[in-house]
Amino acid sequence: MPFSTASRESMAEDSPTFLLDKIISPSQLRLLPESDLPVLAAELRAFLIRSVGRTGGHLAASLGAVELTVALHYVFNTPEDRLVWDVGHQAYAHKILTGRRVAMAGLRQKGGLAGFPRRDESPYDAFGVGHSSTSLGAALGMAEAATVTGIQRQAVAIIGDGAMTAGMAFEALNHAGALGANLLVVLNDNKMSISPNVGALSNYLARILSGPVYATMREGSRRMLSHMRSPVWEFARRAEEHLKGMLVPGTLFEELGFNYIGPIDGHDFIVLVHTLRNLRVLQGPRLLHVVTTKGKGYLPAEDNPCAYHGVGAFDPDTGELCPSREAGPTYTQIFGDWLCDMAAEDKRLVGITPAMREGSGLVRFSERYPERYFDVGIAEQHALTFAAGLACDGLRPVVAIYSTFLQRAYDQLLHDIVLQDLPVLFAIDRAGIVGPDGPTHAGTFDLSFLRCIPGLVVMAPADEDECRQMLYTGFMLGKPVAVRYPRGSGPGVSVQRAMTQLPVGRAEVRRQGQRCALLAFGSMVEPALAAGEQFNATVVNMRFVKPLDTVLIAELAQAHELLVTIEENAIAGGAGSAVSECLCAMGLTVRVIHLGLPDCFTGQGSRAELLAEAGLDSAGILRCLADVFSPDRTTVC
């Protein structure tokens, strides 16, 4: 098994988990002597690799945070003390130590353990997460709630260096410093460039700076000097900052009102536990800078943490990933290929992503056109306004973004881009059901919140080639355009290299039938065709959510008894609602049924399972049609 040398023996497949077996909750963990913690961490890491190897999941981040997780639960009185994890990619060890070890067998599966912390799953999950950079604001709220209610407890936010790039994180830091809140922020930094700062000197300084002697001297000096003339006070303050600034890179956090400690080795239990104990008794805003190695203890994940960030099932012994079930290119790959082809034709094209280079398919583009590639970090709002600025001065930005993350930049979309009619193309990935990541990552609302924006063109491709042609069409329109496509591969249509503009607002009749017309949007065209063949229904690939093909809708309404709209989006306010609004505006009366995602948050499971559950597979569409046209119909599908 390709574990790193230091832990190979303790992580062998048949290694016992004597200590881990004793840990049902953190209260048992806190009974262990400190000397047992490295052994427990080794057992925990081995279990994690085996477990995630079977289910898939966010492995590298969780492996890197094993020692930190153990130390936090060892020092703090959880769940009374609040631990708030950012995003939750690193929280698997936390789940295991808080009574969910057996449930890890169903991780991210339908009816199983969630891939992220959830309040309804465990009292140890103080805050439900999934999107980045929310931990600081939530933990600050909990810290102030404790102050208001007079409860003595600690609030701890654990945030990664990537999540710290978002504006929300700095907004919370600024507020916490202004409040003087009793908040501990643990910055889990796994960037290798900072590793030279980690060592005996840094660890020693951290223990000294977090200890009671330094804290007493610091506060005593503040009280004494605050009564003296301001130049003396200012000199003392600057002298302290200068001394600490030479030794530790915490000046920014100090300026925001935080007592900065670190950086320390996030895999050294002696340093971790002693520093956290010191920080637990201190008051006010504190920030502990911990440096860890992503994928720690498992060589494949250490060597390629990106590949093992969100990984499918793999062989723990070799690290070999299980073959993908995708039959053809994914929509993400089709977008990546189109982006490179379009960039070769138009030098104005620039690509933007909010820290999702691999997930959104921009790797090849970033390598081929580095000067035209912009990763803004986890900062969706900035990504859109940045794109607006680029567009103002003659460039043609393409923003590659997940549907669920576009929600975070809605004002910038509306106010900074569409209101000014700027030529920005949105390639919206993971639209609709996403599967194992669950409701925090489901892109089930974009058609609803996009189609109400004046002047925005919204398209949804039915297949792989149509995706390429829609991206080209959107780029050539020279106005705000959104092309939304699902996770995974399409129905298997070959992609044509030639790029052709589609007529805007024109749908396509794929099958002519009788009595009933199925108006399918995007990914729903394939199951609609299968159902239409069996039911002899007309099937339409609607293509455009905005503008709609109003002429064809009028013709369909006059020639059919029933129109059924089908979309992989929330029914409320979605594409089907747009069709009903169109019919009403034209004064046409025909029966309409809307099929889509119900008015609730979608769960987790495979895409196939969740679509079937919502009645959005061919069998579900057929059941609906059979029910509507049944002579003794008593229900509405």
Side-chain angles (χ1 to χ4, degrees), residues 580-595:
S580 287
E581 292 165 13
C582 171
L583 291 167
C584 183
M586 292 188 293
L588 296 175
T589 302
V590 63
R591 185 173 182 192
V592 182
I593 291 176
H594 301 309
L595 297 184

Side-chain angles (χ1 to χ4, degrees), residues 203-224:
N203 290 336
Y204 170 76
L205 286 170
R207 293 169 66 181
I208 293 298
L209 293 173
S210 67
V213 175
Y214 174 80
T216 301
M217 291 176 60
R218 187 174 190 265
E219 293 307 313
S221 299
R222 282 180 180 273
R223 287 193 296 270
M224 180 182 70

Side-chain angles (χ1 to χ4, degrees), residues 359-370:
S360 292
L362 278 81
V363 173
R364 192 157 65 92
F365 176 81
S366 68
E367 295 169 348
R368 185 173 295 182
Y369 302 101

Side-chain angles (χ1 to χ4, degrees), residues 338 342 346 348-349 387-388 391-392 394-398 417-426 455-457 459 469-483 501-502 504 544:
W338 170 83
M342 195 71 237
D346 194 326
R348 297 173 300 168
L349 184 150
C392 281
L395 296 181
R396 300 294 292 274
V398 177
I417 294 176
V418 185
L419 181 60
Q420 302 186 82
D421 197 32
L422 293 172
V424 178
L425 172 64
F426 293 91
L456 178 66
V457 174
M459 294 182 263
Q469 308 311 329
M470 283 185 174
L471 289 165
Y472 178 72
T473 301
F475 185 84
M476 297 302 292
L477 283 177
K479 63 186 280 84
V481 177
V483 178
Q501 281 189 258
L502 302 176
V504 176
F544 288 83

Side-chain angles (χ1 to χ4, degrees), residues 7 44 82 100 173 218 233 265 455 465 473 580 595:
S7 53
L44 182 54
R82 308 303 200 217
R100 289 169 276 181
L173 286 172
R218 187 174 190 265
W233 164 254
D265 185 347
D465 184 59
T473 301
S580 287
L595 297 184

